[in-house]
Amino acid sequence: MMAIRRRFGAQFQGNGRTCFGLWAPDAREVRVEIADGRDWPLEGSDSGWFEATLPCPPGTRYRYRIDGRPGVPDPASQFQPDGVHGDSQVLDHDAYAWRVDEWRGRPWHEAVIYELHVGLFGSYAEVERFLPRLVELGVTAVELMPLGEFPGRRNWGYDGVLPFAPASAYGTPEQLKHLIDSAHGMGLMVFVDVIYNHFGPDGNYLAQYAAAFFRDDRQTPWGQAIDFRRGEVREFFYENALMWLLDYRVDGLRFDAVHAIPDSAFLVEMARRLRGAAGPERHVHLVLENDDNRASLLRQGYDAQWNDDGHHALHVLLTGESDGYYQDYPEPLRCLARCLAEGFVYQGEANRHGRPRGEPSADLAPDAFVLFLQNHDQVGNRAFGERLSVLAEPQALRLAIALQLLAPMIPLLFMGEECAAREPFLYFTDHQGELADAVREGRRKEFGEFGRFGDGAALASLPDPNAVETFERSRPGLADCDPAWRGFYRQLLEIRHEHLIPRLRGARSLGVTTIAGAALSARWRLGDGSDWRIDFNPSPLEAEVEPPAAATQVLFLDNLACAEYRRGRLSPRSIAVSLEPAHE
């Protein structure tokens, strides 16, 4: 792998010596305080960097004392054994002996992603013990929700403040590497969700000595915007992403809410830097969450984007909900048809606020879009964290699952959905004092704007994010997995692996036809010249479709007889998936 010089944090140099680097442009003096009582000054420069190479072996615990104030953790700390306010610890990333050293990843088109929260499993070790079940199901990639050190012992993941330090509540960096190593040994890719658009509200000391890290003229929902115009700020996040790819050998990153990063040049440069460092021999996958639907980024180094449009259309179709952003999908079947044919629903059209959203996406391959029915956002940001197993009628949900897993987009599953888990996934934190009160009240205020929470009793019943019970209630019921439901997922993924994935590279849409506003028929030309077809009828009425050609192989039917489908009739609440071989 390519050697990368890194300036942020404590970089072990060998021979018991470590180079410490801190960008603190507002500081006059910086000292490293070692837990055993030693301390040394760092040498400053006009550029705001303070650096020194000191006799500190791996395992050394340290803090930075800036201008005589009480010591603070390293913002690029690689481990925080005692949490966000404790000492940082020097690591030697080369000390771990990788068992699957020849792993180079898997191609993107083979991805079947399973998103999970490590804390709800208990630890890195518990997740590792769960991996064989994912392999047996047909999953090929595990996506770990954010791992950056957070305040307290539990957090849903998006309040992290030290992005270089894997959460100590889940185990050690070595245990995380062992998890990733074991996954690779089973043929599983590992992705990590990274947050470069904000820091959490507790434990971030950057503003005390590097005010230039943030902008005074721009706010985000999480506070002052990060100033990506500054080279040192960009480098901080480049180095973090490189750490995940090179030191932990993850196979990909999912970039959270990049619509909150106004500098698209930073994102383009991020992709270029990461691919250059990983080299051509590795499969490295970069995935965006981007509410702005900036399709142009998918032509500039990024493999795919989470398709919120696809989720929203399917959610409205399944539940009939029309609050908030679901108002933008009043004709869900028509919206779904556009997603299947062109990727995004919104490609520059005005949303409910009258603002244009999105860029043209029809030229992109189907696997440039990650399609999901549930994920941490779409469940966890609900007031009561309900899953579709609670909200949707079972047969309607079966059809949507079949559509998702057998469409040529990349499917993402959210932990527990393969078991029809009914436990909620709630927003949970472990804040204390005034911050805990502010988070609790902010949650009530947020949902008080929705009509269905208009009465005080409903708002009073909202789960307290800081209560231990809220965290415990969010554990998915994997031990009591419904075998029939899990078998349904496994059946669909076997079809995907046998018939779709080998032909998926090079696929393109042949268009989608809506039938009487109630059903749709979608076709794609696959990479080997064959045609993939999905006929989807979620309505209570029968629909007529073009009868499949005689040579067509019918791969999957739900609530529909094969003879009936061969005659071009689509039963109410049914789906058919077929493959027509390439013409000679």
Side-chain angles (χ1 to χ4, degrees):
M1 294 180 184
M2 182 177 177
I4 305 293
R5 180 180 184 271
R6 308 180 206 181
R7 297 194 70 176
F8 284 93
Q11 307 297 327
F12 179 60
Q13 306 293 298
N15 298 319
R17 298 180 66 78
T18 295
C19 179
F20 294 88
L22 178 71
W23 185 60
D26 302 336
R28 299 183 303 276
E29 178 191 50
V30 176
R31 301 184 71 87
V32 175
E33 295 184 329
I34 309 302
D36 63 9
R38 296 175 294 163
D39 77 285
W40 288 278
L42 299 188
E43 183 177 348
S45 67
D46 293 341
S47 64
W49 279 100
F50 290 80
E51 296 176 295
T53 298
L54 303 170
C56 296
T60 299
R61 297 194 181 196
Y62 68 97
R63 301 173 72 82
Y64 290 130
R65 179 178 289 274
I66 300 168
D67 294 339
R69 297 193 294 268
V72 296
D74 186 343
S77 167
Q78 295 177 15
F79 190 45
Q80 292 288 120
D82 300 315
V84 295
H85 301 291
D87 288 343
S88 304
Q89 182 172 311
V90 175
L91 291 186
D92 176 10
H93 279 295
D94 292 334
Y96 181 83
W98 292 89
R99 294 164 294 145
V100 190
D101 198 44
E102 72 283 358
W103 175 261
R104 296 295 178 266
R106 299 180 65 154
W108 173 245
H109 71 277
E110 295 182 2
V112 175
I113 306 170
Y114 190 94
E115 184 190 25
L116 63 82
H117 185 282
V118 174
L120 291 175
F121 280 75
S123 66
Y124 300 126
E126 289 297 327
V127 172
E128 186 173 334
R129 282 189 276 274
F130 183 69
L131 296 181
R133 290 181 59 179
L134 296 182
V135 174
E136 189 267 344
L137 184 65
V139 167
T140 63
V142 179
E143 180 173 322
L144 306 177
M145 288 174 63
L147 300 178
E149 188 69 54
F150 50 77
R153 300 300 295 172
R154 57 189 181 274
N155 192 282
W156 81 311
Y158 297 84
D159 294 318
V161 292
L162 295 171
F164 288 80
S168 57
Y170 305 157
T172 66
E174 290 74 19
Q175 289 169 328
L176 174 57
K177 290 179 180 179
H178 198 276
L179 161 62
I180 295 167
D181 207 3
S182 295
H184 291 166
M186 300 178 198
L188 288 168
M189 297 182 281
V190 179
F191 301 160
V192 171
D193 195 344
V194 293
I195 307 168
Y196 296 159
N197 55 72
H198 75 285
F199 293 93
D202 181 20
N204 175 27
Y205 297 95
L206 274 166
Q208 295 183 14
Y209 52 83
F213 210 96
F214 303 95
R215 298 181 62 161
D216 293 328
D217 61 337
R218 185 185 290 268
Q219 294 288 317
T220 75
W222 308 281
Q224 279 185 305
I226 296 169
D227 194 350
F228 291 97
R229 298 171 299 182
R230 294 188 174 271
E232 294 86 355
V233 173
R234 295 194 300 273
E235 200 65 32
F236 180 87
F237 293 109
Y238 293 149
E239 289 191 12
N240 179 254
L242 287 167
M243 178 198 76
W244 290 117
L245 291 183
L246 302 183
D247 297 330
Y248 288 92
R249 301 193 182 184
V250 302
D251 302 278
L253 301 172
R254 181 260 187 189
F255 295 83
D256 179 69
V258 301
H259 49 268
I261 299 175
D263 190 345
S264 60
F266 161 73
L267 295 169
V268 173
E269 177 66 8
M270 172 70 79
R272 188 191 68 79
R273 291 274 297 270
L274 296 184
R275 296 199 182 282
E281 71 281 358
R282 283 185 64 188
H283 293 287
V284 168
H285 307 306
L286 308 178
V287 182
L288 300 171
E289 179 200 14
N290 187 353
D291 192 56
D292 290 340
N293 283 359
R294 274 188 277 172
S296 53
L297 288 172
L298 301 177
R299 306 179 189 96
Q300 298 181 80
Y302 290 88
D303 295 272
Q305 178 178 313
W306 277 24
N307 196 344
D308 283 344
D309 281 354
H311 167 272
H312 299 344
L314 283 163
H315 188 90
V316 173
L317 195 65
L318 289 169
T319 68
E321 292 182 3
S322 59
D323 282 344
Y325 45 67
Y326 293 132
Q327 296 174 56
D328 285 338
Y329 305 85
E331 300 178 66
L333 193 76
R334 180 188 61 81
C335 292
L336 177 60
R338 193 176 199 199
C339 278
L340 295 175
E342 301 181 15
F344 295 136
V345 173
Y346 282 87
Q347 302 180 34
E349 294 82 2
N351 63 11
R352 67 192 181 283
H353 301 301
R355 294 193 292 268
R357 173 175 171 243
E359 298 172 349
S361 59
D363 65 300
L364 294 168
D367 64 4
F369 304 91
V370 176
L371 188 60
F372 45 87
L373 292 170
Q374 302 179 86
N375 64 28
H376 74 270
D377 266 332
Q378 305 305 334
V379 181
N381 281 329
R382 297 180 64 85
F384 297 101
E386 307 99 325
R387 293 169 175 266
L388 285 176
S389 56
V390 174
L391 297 172
E393 189 272 325
Q395 178 58 23
L397 184 52
R398 279 178 62 95
L399 301 184
I401 292 165
L403 175 71
Q404 178 212 3
L405 297 187
L406 295 180
M409 292 75 184
I410 298 298
L412 177 138
L413 311 180
F414 184 56
M415 57 177 182
E417 72 170 84
E418 79 283 9
C419 294
R422 298 181 68 83
E423 294 81 5
F425 176 70
L426 298 162
Y427 171 72
F428 52 84
T429 57
D430 188 19
H431 298 311
Q432 307 297 320
E434 293 182 2
L435 179 56
D437 293 337
V439 168
R440 188 181 303 112
E441 292 308 310
R443 196 80 173 156
R444 289 174 179 165
K445 181 179 179 182
E446 176 186 355
F447 290 108
E449 298 175 0
F450 289 82
R452 55 188 156 140
F453 298 102
D455 62 276
L459 290 175
S461 68
L462 288 176
D464 179 358
N466 295 291
V468 175
E469 312 88 76
T470 302
F471 171 77
E472 293 296 337
R473 285 177 59 202
S474 298
R475 295 185 189 273
L478 299 171
D480 301 318
C481 192
D482 181 337
W485 199 254
R486 179 182 169 85
F488 180 60
Y489 274 79
R490 184 179 177 187
Q491 175 193 6
L492 294 169
L493 289 176
E494 285 177 348
I495 294 170
R496 184 179 186 91
H497 283 291
E498 181 177 353
H499 298 285
L500 180 57
I501 286 177
R503 302 174 169 91
L504 184 54
R505 184 176 284 171
R508 59 183 176 85
S509 173
L510 296 177
V512 179
T513 302
T514 55
I515 305 162
L520 60 80
S521 182
R523 288 179 170 85
W524 295 267
R525 178 65 45 78
L526 301 182
D528 67 348
S530 59
D531 287 356
W532 190 263
R533 174 175 164 182
I534 299 180
D535 294 296
F536 176 70
N537 183 12
S539 81
L541 304 174
E542 185 177 79
E544 293 186 4
V545 296
E546 179 184 337
T552 295
Q553 184 179 3
V554 179
L555 301 174
F556 178 78
L557 296 170
D558 196 66
N559 203 31
L560 178 65
C562 188
E564 186 179 10
Y565 179 57
R566 290 283 185 185
R567 291 194 297 268
R569 309 195 72 81
L570 204 56
S571 299
R573 299 185 177 90
S574 66
I575 188 171
V577 180
S578 59
L579 177 68
E580 182 178 345
H583 299 288
E584 296 296 336

